[in-house]
Amino acid sequence: MTRAVSILERPVYGVTEAAGLLGLRADRTRAWLDGYERRGFRYPPVVRSEATGDDIVTWGEFVELGYLREYRRKGVSLQQLRPVIDDLRHEFDTPYPLATAKPFLYGKELVLELQQRNGLPAALAIVIRSGQTIAFASETERFLQKVEFHPPDDGDARRLMPAGRASPVVIDPLVRFGRPSVNGVATERLWELYDAGEQIQEIAAGYDLAEELVRAAVAYEEQQRTLAA
């Protein structure tokens, strides 16, 4: 019997495109994926279990890059997260533990134990102890506001909402080849029309979209261009 391929294994982007969608530098994205060398010392990957040199990013890798992105301004090397992620791979039997619901929904105690065992700095915490409860770190909270798991209780990341749940913009690996879209229409295409001088009302009518969807698409693309500038 042929093994069903998880959506997390689906190839979706080149490294440069993935970096652009996440608002990251391409060199940083490559370092998180495949490791890097500095002063004669080789640092292993954070996202991949081992370096492959592959320029193609899977959906699972893209989602995990999105998680790491939340820590990019902490001023602490993400290399220190690697042992925790490695342990999570083993515990949940998946190469993409941060792209599944399991560690977040019913594995918080285990995650806390692994953090403590590996001496993870507080700045990189996935979960934190708050009194008698275990809560998500603020970076984890931000990430979870942008991801949709299916099934919700123990499934894989199915879609991302890059501008948050209040926005209709989604990134779905099965829609528009994983390009950001609203109601199945690429946000970049809508922005190009707007940038060329078409009115929101005209664009909406041409694609049979509500005007607020077009506005959201244009706002998202404008923000992406600001980040890339």
Side-chain angles (χ1 to χ4, degrees), residues 4-9 59-60 63 92-103 147-159:
V5 177
S6 165
I7 194 172
L8 299 181
E9 299 176 54
W59 177 244
V63 173
F92 292 105
D93 192 26
T94 173
Y96 312 109
L98 299 178
T100 71
K102 295 174 183 177
V147 63
E148 178 182 292
F149 297 107
H150 184 77
D153 54 347
D154 67 350
D156 298 332
R158 180 64 181 78
R159 301 194 306 173

Side-chain angles (χ1 to χ4, degrees), residues 7 17 32 42-44 72 78 83 131 136 140 167 169-170 210 227:
I7 194 172
E17 184 178 12
W32 290 353
R42 182 70 190 174
Y43 294 87
R72 69 195 184 284
L78 294 183
F136 293 125
T140 306
S167 170
V169 177
V170 299
L227 292 173

Side-chain angles (χ1 to χ4, degrees), residues 11-35 47-48 52-58 61-62 65 179:
V12 280
Y13 310 111
V15 170
T16 301
E17 184 178 12
L21 288 172
L22 293 168
L24 296 169
R25 298 196 317 265
D27 61 338
R28 175 174 290 181
T29 303
R30 289 182 189 278
W32 290 353
L33 284 168
D34 265 332
V47 172
R48 292 173 176 164
T52 66
D54 196 341
D55 190 63
I56 301 301
V57 179
T58 66
E61 290 171 344
F62 182 75
L65 286 167
R179 277 54 175 183

